[in-house]
Amino acid sequence: MTIKRLLVANRAEIASRVFRTCRSLGIETVAIHADADAALPYVREADAAVRLPGNAPSETYLRIDLVLDAARGSGADAIHPGYGFLSENADFARAVIDAGLTWIGPTPESIEAMGSKIRAKEIMKAAGVPVLEAPAEPTEADLPLLVKASAGGGGRGMRVVRRLEDLPGEVAKAEAEALSAFGDGTVFVEPYVERGRHVEVQVVDSVVYGERDCSLQRRHQKVVEEAPAPNLPDEVRTALHEAARQAAEAVEYRGAGTVEFLYDPATERFFFLEMNTRLQVEHPVTELVHDVDLVLLQVASAEATWFMGWSDPPQGHAIEVRLYAEDPAADYQPQSGTLTTFEIPLEDGVRVDAGFESGSEVSTHYDAMLAKVIAHAPTRQAAARKLAGVLSRARIHGLVTNRDQLVAILRDPAFLRGDVSTDFLDGFETGLRPSSATDGAAVAAAIALAERAKEARTVQRGIPVAWRNVVSQPQRAVFEEAEVEWYGAYAVDGHTVVSAGSESVTLETDGVRTTYAITVNGRDVDVDSSRGHVHLTRVPRFVDPAEQVASGSLLAPMPGTVVSVAVETGQEVEAGQQVLVLEAMKMQHPVLSPYAGTVTEIDAKPGAQVAAGEVLAVVEEA
């Protein structure tokens, strides 16, 4: 069957990625979008787009009936599920096939067999693939343990348990997260390998396309992926490939899939974790080192009654980083709002798969990933250096991201040695810029703001910036992060102003010249230079009393939905005690009391939608 028009039952960068291959094949494309995604680039890129009213995944991208109606209404004859949402839903695959459409993915039976991690382990064990045995009755000797959701992935519904008394509570939390994210609250427990490596093997049908190392994770979600896996003994590599081939054959697998393993370098043993019956987020690194288009192979496998593929040896090394709208310094708290500037340099050997652009709104309804940035080079060190350079030169304004942390990882000596593990980021520095970088940026920002004020003058345009006929006090620019004072416009705190404009300022510091690009958006001032990006917030001269909040107010850290409230008005609480739980970007975030005291006010109820900065409760300190 030849596909003529394909609908992608997904959003953002994966939809754009599939559309790119479709255009090369001459296949027309259809996008579906929730209201929050209407202005994202992928909607414009498609030949046709269908609105799914609402925003929550449960009322949009997870609605099988609406997705099928969109396919019928747009004339699509095939559906690609992308990843996440319905991509590993056997009922959805059956519904697509029953509707007479071509399903771009494995058979519903394969999805079903691998959809439950519990059943998948049983099948793999029978096929001779090594698995981690979960203890029936855990004891202290079994610690630490890992609670995992049986359905889905992405780190949701996953908790590490280090004390037996914490197990029931962590199981309950994992069940709640899994139910919210996947509609299935089933969880299981297995041993947790502290310094293991996450190594996965790409298959198409039962043909192996090498392996990837995805060990660098936070909250059990991948951050950096690469191919081939570094420092992997050849005999282990060969055994992993063979185990993945056996796994695919055990379920008569069709199309692209990934077999994930936990590798223990200390013993050189590996264990089956799960099989993802779909395209992986990190598939670009495999494509670059094997010179293959995995989406094209998915389409070929779906169109043909049989598929004969082959895999050439990997060429060079590829590293991918996931650029998230999150704050690593605040426990990776997701960020939402307007991405005012989003520019990543495109250079030889660099690939950017992005779901957003300058001006895009990042909502709280979906995952916080903005883009994947991938570098391919002859060696691992060259790929890391190239990728770090591109990220450091990117201009990203409006939201806090993990960009600086990614650059720090790529330049870290341990990472460059290939000393990676799933606990690599535990205690890792967030990559925050040194104060000297902030000082220079603040001076440049202050000069640029003065130049902006000059350009806005309607009278006395010829008077120099910062000039006073009676020098009674210095000029002053006050930011939340720094304060700058100066007399005249040529020397500021040891920085000499070489040239100045409202958007660009060059300073000479200790004989070294640096040019800063300044972008002003209301109170927000973003400064980019070779020293990196610095965000500054202007402090208004006068404060609006209406914007002040009472002492002890617990504010919503981001827009989201209140899941539960754990206290009552008048109740005494301890420092760090959970007051309520907020859900945003598919994750649950506890809001804790900052100190011991009494709850004097509760302004939020379960199910309520709250905005960032909104008062949720007030705790009066004891």
Side-chain angles (χ1 to χ4, degrees):
M1 178 183 293
T2 300
I3 297 171
K4 296 179 180 177
R5 175 172 276 211
L6 182 146
L7 179 145
V8 177
N10 220 293
R11 61 181 293 278
E13 62 89 15
I14 182 55
S16 294
R17 165 68 191 92
V18 176
F19 292 163
R20 188 162 66 244
T21 291
C22 286
R23 285 193 294 271
S24 72
L25 296 173
I27 298 174
E28 295 180 349
T29 56
V30 180
I32 57 174
H33 66 87
D35 291 335
D37 289 340
L40 291 188
Y42 82 98
V43 178
R44 296 194 308 271
E45 292 170 5
D47 294 304
V50 179
R51 175 188 175 228
L52 304 182
N55 284 317
S58 59
E59 61 186 13
T60 54
Y61 300 106
L62 291 175
R63 285 279 300 272
I64 294 176
D65 56 336
L66 294 184
V67 175
L68 292 179
D69 286 346
R72 295 188 191 98
S74 61
D77 56 3
I79 290 181
H80 190 298
Y83 42 69
F85 296 130
L86 295 169
S87 63
E88 294 179 281
N89 187 311
D91 291 337
F92 179 50
R94 286 196 183 92
V96 171
I97 295 168
D98 291 345
L101 305 172
T102 299
W103 166 250
I104 311 296
T107 64
E109 291 74 25
S110 293
I111 297 174
E112 213 157 45
M114 296 292 101
S116 165
K117 294 183 177 67
I118 298 173
R119 185 183 171 197
K121 284 193 172 189
E122 294 171 350
I123 295 173
M124 292 302 107
K125 187 176 180 181
V129 178
V131 300
L132 274 174
E133 296 287 353
E137 293 292 335
T139 66
E140 292 285 344
D142 296 314
L143 295 174
L145 297 168
L146 185 64
V147 183
K148 297 178 70 173
S150 182
R156 299 170 188 90
M158 191 178 292
R159 303 267 173 168
V160 177
V161 179
R162 301 187 183 279
R163 302 188 308 171
L164 277 182
E165 57 264 36
D166 295 338
L167 184 58
E170 294 301 307
V171 167
K173 293 175 184 176
E175 287 174 339
E177 263 189 6
L179 184 63
S180 173
F182 315 119
D184 183 348
T186 305
V187 300
F188 65 97
V189 178
E190 67 182 18
Y192 181 59
V193 179
E194 288 281 6
R195 287 193 55 79
R197 287 175 57 182
H198 184 118
V199 181
E200 59 188 33
V201 180
Q202 176 71 58
V203 297
V204 179
D205 292 4
S206 59
V207 178
V208 171
Y209 285 85
E211 81 290 335
R212 303 181 284 256
D213 189 292
C214 309
S215 299
L216 268 67
Q217 305 176 5
R218 90 294 182 255
R219 287 180 171 171
H220 307 292
Q221 289 182 301
K222 301 163 187 173
V223 177
V224 180
E225 302 106 344
E226 56 183 309
N231 300 341
L232 196 64
D234 289 340
E235 59 272 19
V236 173
R237 194 184 313 272
T238 300
L240 278 168
H241 292 184
E242 179 59 22
R245 187 189 60 76
Q246 289 177 315
E249 290 182 346
V251 291
E252 298 180 352
Y253 196 78
R254 292 288 306 277
T258 299
V259 188
E260 300 192 349
F261 297 95
L262 180 64
Y263 169 58
D264 185 356
T267 63
E268 294 194 354
R269 297 177 63 197
F270 60 84
F271 308 93
F272 171 84
L273 286 176
E274 61 181 304
M275 183 174 187
N276 290 297
T277 52
R278 54 171 169 81
L279 198 66
Q280 288 284 86
V281 177
E282 57 273 18
H283 74 274
V285 294
T286 296
E287 292 186 323
L288 290 173
V289 298
H290 287 279
D291 191 24
V292 64
D293 183 333
L294 290 173
V295 175
L296 185 149
L297 295 187
Q298 284 185 299
V299 172
S301 181
E303 286 186 330
T305 54
W306 58 273
F307 171 73
M308 178 63 71
W310 65 91
S311 174
D312 295 325
Q315 299 296 317
H317 201 93
I319 303 176
E320 169 184 294
V321 294
R322 301 191 190 188
L323 187 62
Y324 285 106
E326 65 182 17
D327 186 356
D331 195 26
Y332 300 99
Q333 186 180 96
Q335 308 290 301
S336 61
T338 303
L339 197 59
T340 54
T341 304
F342 192 57
E343 299 172 358
I344 301 175
L346 281 177
E347 301 175 2
D348 289 343
V350 174
R351 168 174 161 180
V352 178
D353 287 9
F356 297 85
E357 62 187 358
S358 296
S360 291
E361 190 74 19
V362 180
S363 76
T364 62
H365 303 287
Y366 316 110
D367 189 83
M369 189 174 73
L370 302 175
K372 303 176 306 192
V373 188
I374 314 100
H376 182 223
T379 67
R380 184 172 183 271
Q381 285 72 20
R385 182 186 302 169
K386 179 183 295 186
L387 188 51
V390 165
L391 287 171
S392 66
R393 292 190 295 276
R395 299 180 70 234
I396 307 169
H397 304 160
L399 295 175
V400 177
T401 72
N402 65 333
R403 185 263 303 272
D404 285 350
Q405 185 189 52
L406 295 174
V407 173
I409 291 170
L410 293 167
R411 291 173 175 169
D412 183 77
F415 175 81
L416 293 174
R417 289 194 304 269
D419 185 13
V420 295
S421 63
T422 54
D423 66 347
F424 184 93
L425 291 182
D426 292 350
F428 187 83
E429 291 295 325
T430 58
L432 296 177
R433 297 288 173 184
S435 58
S436 60
T438 303
D439 290 345
V443 170
I447 298 298
L449 289 173
E451 291 288 335
R452 284 173 62 90
K454 174 188 174 183
E455 292 176 0
R457 292 177 189 166
T458 56
V459 296
Q460 297 181 323
R461 290 179 175 270
I463 296 179
V465 170
W467 181 85
R468 292 179 186 270
N469 59 350
V470 177
V471 185
S472 59
Q473 58 183 304
Q475 296 287 341
R476 181 179 290 109
V478 182
F479 306 98
E480 291 182 2
E481 300 79 6
E483 183 173 334
V484 180
E485 293 185 350
W486 75 98
Y487 292 90
Y490 299 101
V492 186
D493 290 341
H495 304 277
T496 300
V497 181
V498 177
S499 64
S502 59
E503 297 181 352
S504 178
V505 173
T506 299
L507 301 178
E508 184 172 304
T509 309
D510 296 330
V512 179
R513 292 189 179 187
T514 303
T515 298
Y516 299 84
I518 296 94
T519 306
V520 181
N521 186 7
R523 291 179 56 199
D524 295 315
V525 182
D526 291 281
V527 185
D528 294 284
S529 72
S530 59
R531 297 186 173 193
H533 168 259
V534 174
H535 174 262
L536 302 168
T537 307
R538 300 170 70 182
V539 176
R541 293 183 63 187
F542 304 102
V543 178
D544 185 352
E547 296 180 355
Q548 303 305 297
V549 297
S551 175
S553 296
L554 305 185
L555 308 181
M558 69 203 78
T561 303
V562 177
V563 176
S564 62
V565 178
V567 299
E568 298 176 349
T569 303
Q571 180 177 332
E572 293 185 358
V573 293
E574 299 297 324
Q577 182 174 334
Q578 182 173 294
V579 175
L580 52 84
V581 176
L582 194 66
E583 183 171 276
M585 293 180 169
K586 298 184 180 181
M587 300 291 287
Q588 294 191 354
H589 308 273
V591 177
L592 311 178
S593 175
Y595 37 65
T598 304
V599 179
T600 59
E601 187 179 330
I602 298 177
D603 298 307
K605 297 179 179 179
Q609 297 283 331
V610 297
E614 187 173 327
V615 177
L616 304 175
V618 178
V619 177
E620 183 177 312
E621 188 173 9

